[in-house]
Amino acid sequence: MQKKTYWFSASATDFYLAWKIGQLSKLTERQTTVLITDENVYNAHTPKFKGWNTIILKPGEEFKVQETVDAVIEQLIGVEADRKTTLVGIGGGVITDITGYVASVYMRGLRFGFVPTSLLALVDASIGGKNGIDVGVYKNMVGTIRQPSFLLHDMLFLDTLPQQEWENGFAEIIKHACIKDAAMFRYLEESSFRSFQGKRKAIAELVRRNAALKAKTVQADEFEKGERRLLNFGHTLGHALENQYELLHGQAVAIGMTYASHISERLTGFSKTEKVTSLLEQYGLPTYASFDKEKVFEVLKMDKKREKQDMNYVLLEKIGKATVRSIPLLELENIISEF
Ligand SMILES: NC(=O)c1ccc[n+]([C@@H]2O[C@H](COP(=O)([O-])OP(=O)(O)OC[C@H]3O[C@@H](n4cnc5c(N)ncnc54)[C@H](O)[C@@H]3O)[C@@H](O)[C@H]2O)c1
């Protein structure tokens, strides 16, 4: 059992690592807490929710929309939630994003925490305070930045995580390795799913290492002026693909990382694209895809990383070292159309 506190500009998040979900009542009172989860997590772990006021949402990215937020708010009003209420999102990134957003806007802000249950949420989505919803094909178009008060990690949830969600989570782990941790890249090359699945100690350690990497990056640059941008490696093209082609977030990011590696070869002299694609494939992730370049570019142009006619694109200099380059949209369009 470990507790680690990370301070951000306005508040701190306590990370309770290698805890048990049964200990949630040590962090928040049952009477004043509302849990938010989805049907998959609830059905797989029903006894864990006993005695807690729980809102159960339909699972999936398609429900990360304003309509769901409205429905949650209606239910909170229904149970007379007030400013003393704590919301706890127990689920994957969709649930943590929605919970953080609702908690930021309901009565202008409630205390909230997360119990991330997917690998992707454990290593990425639950950390850093970004929350929000999609608008049509535009990913995370609306949202706020507000840090959770606490995160509780219980590896038990991973026992029921479907294989493709393991792959999804490894996309972000490989991203972390590519941009900041060459040693972890080598460790992942030497490992496989078998090194982590059903091996609670090994997966807990990998999760801890990745959660720390993300938390420290956010700490250094909470409002994404510099360092935090690196975490967007693979996400510019990835987001443009994700909702148009109904890919999982990790799959879309994996394709995005493949193309970003190629763009890096052109612009930074990076020379290890093949190493990146082999590692992605080793963890069941897609690399090359045929897509409608024009349609995807239309969505890509609306990316939050665009500044007027330039796009801030995250590229690799070498494995473990990333950089942000401002690329004119026209040049980017040309490069992408050549693939
Ligand atoms: N806020 C951020 O900084 C940030 C960062 C990365 C990703 N995200 C967001 O996270 C989302 C993707 O996260 P995700 O992949 O966790 O999505 P998700 O919440 O849809 O979870 C994936 C699937 O796994 C199921 N699931 C989760 N935990 C389970 C468990 N323990 N057992 C069985 N099934 C389980 C869910 O019901 C769902 O079907 C995207 O919306 C993405 O934009 C946010």
Side-chain angles (χ1 to χ4, degrees):
M1 264 168 43
Q2 296 173 45
K3 177 183 169 192
K4 176 122 184 73
T5 301
Y6 286 93
W7 274 95
F8 300 98
S9 59
S11 61
T13 303
D14 293 324
F15 285 59
Y16 295 91
L17 303 163
W19 267 47
K20 294 274 160 264
I21 179 69
Q23 295 170 302
L24 182 61
S25 53
K26 289 189 179 163
L27 309 181
T28 186
E29 276 180 32
R30 279 177 198 263
Q31 295 80 354
T32 55
T33 298
V34 177
L35 309 184
I36 300 178
T37 189
D38 73 21
E39 286 170 358
N40 292 340
V41 176
Y42 184 80
N43 291 338
H45 301 277
T46 310
K48 307 275 182 303
F49 292 88
K50 204 164 165 236
W52 292 92
N53 206 339
T54 305
I55 295 175
I56 306 163
L57 303 179
K58 294 227 167 306
E61 186 73 27
E62 61 188 295
F63 296 103
K64 204 176 99 172
V65 290
Q66 186 62 42
E67 222 178 307
T68 307
V69 171
D70 293 344
V72 172
I73 289 173
E74 294 279 337
Q75 291 194 60
L76 289 175
I77 294 170
V79 298
E80 297 179 4
D82 60 21
R83 297 184 83 171
K84 295 253 152 47
T85 301
T86 297
L87 299 187
V88 181
I90 304 188
V94 168
I95 289 299
T96 55
D97 276 9
I98 291 175
T99 304
Y101 184 49
V102 171
S104 304
V105 295
Y106 185 81
M107 292 195 174
R108 297 202 189 90
L110 303 182
R111 176 179 183 256
F112 68 104
F114 296 141
V115 181
T117 64
S118 72
L119 189 55
L120 190 142
L122 280 160
V123 300
D124 189 359
S126 65
I127 305 161
K130 279 192 192 173
N131 55 60
I133 50 170
D134 304 335
V135 180
V137 294
Y138 300 109
K139 283 271 308 163
N140 305 328
M141 199 60 174
V142 172
T144 66
I145 294 188
R146 203 156 165 270
Q147 303 298 338
S149 298
F150 63 83
L151 287 165
L152 186 157
H153 284 187
D154 184 348
M155 296 301 130
L156 169 109
F157 285 103
L158 294 180
D159 290 351
T160 59
L161 192 72
Q163 174 63 24
Q164 68 168 6
E165 299 303 337
W166 276 85
E167 294 161 11
N168 200 23
F170 266 85
E172 302 288 2
I173 292 173
I174 293 170
K175 177 194 78 179
H176 286 160
C178 283
I179 61 169
K180 275 181 174 282
D181 193 339
M184 182 162 71
F185 194 97
R186 284 192 294 278
Y187 172 57
L188 293 172
E189 283 181 318
E190 290 156 10
S191 310
S192 68
F193 279 125
R194 286 172 55 193
S195 323
F196 303 109
Q197 288 176 325
K199 313 249 165 53
R200 286 220 183 127
K201 233 175 141 184
I203 191 63
E205 176 49 28
L206 188 68
V207 165
R208 189 206 56 73
R209 182 171 182 162
N210 279 275
L213 184 151
K214 168 116 194 224
K216 281 183 194 152
T217 307
V218 175
Q219 252 184 339
D221 173 31
E222 191 172 353
F223 297 100
E224 205 166 315
K225 303 272 182 269
E227 190 73 3
R228 187 171 185 172
R229 290 182 181 180
L230 302 181
L231 294 169
N232 292 319
F233 178 55
H235 281 60
T236 309
L237 183 63
H239 278 166
L241 291 168
E242 185 170 347
N243 284 7
Q244 285 195 67
Y245 290 94
E246 292 185 12
L247 291 160
L248 292 179
H249 182 74
Q251 293 173 328
V253 169
I255 298 169
M257 288 193 276
T258 301
Y259 286 88
S261 300
H262 276 288
I263 299 174
S264 307
E265 296 219 353
R266 298 264 185 100
L267 302 180
T268 70
F270 177 66
S271 62
K272 297 283 187 286
T273 298
E274 253 182 69
K275 261 182 167 302
V276 174
T277 54
S278 312
L279 190 60
L280 291 169
E281 282 161 10
Q282 191 175 322
Y283 288 90
L285 288 158
T287 47
Y288 296 94
S290 62
F291 53 87
D292 182 333
K293 308 268 161 60
E294 261 178 54
K295 244 174 94 186
V296 165
F297 201 76
E298 277 310 301
V299 178
L300 188 144
K301 277 199 306 208
M302 283 302 292
D303 193 281
K304 294 183 287 301
K305 293 170 286 297
R306 178 171 60 88
E307 278 175 15
K308 297 211 175 102
Q309 289 309 304
D310 296 323
M311 182 71 80
N312 289 316
Y313 220 94
V314 186
L315 302 176
L316 296 181
E317 287 180 352
K318 56 183 185 178
I319 302 279
K321 189 166 190 323
T323 178
V324 179
R325 289 283 170 92
S326 168
I327 310 177
L329 281 181
L330 250 157
E331 186 181 348
L332 190 60
E333 189 169 12
N334 283 338
I335 299 178
I336 289 178
S337 69
E338 281 170 32
F339 289 132

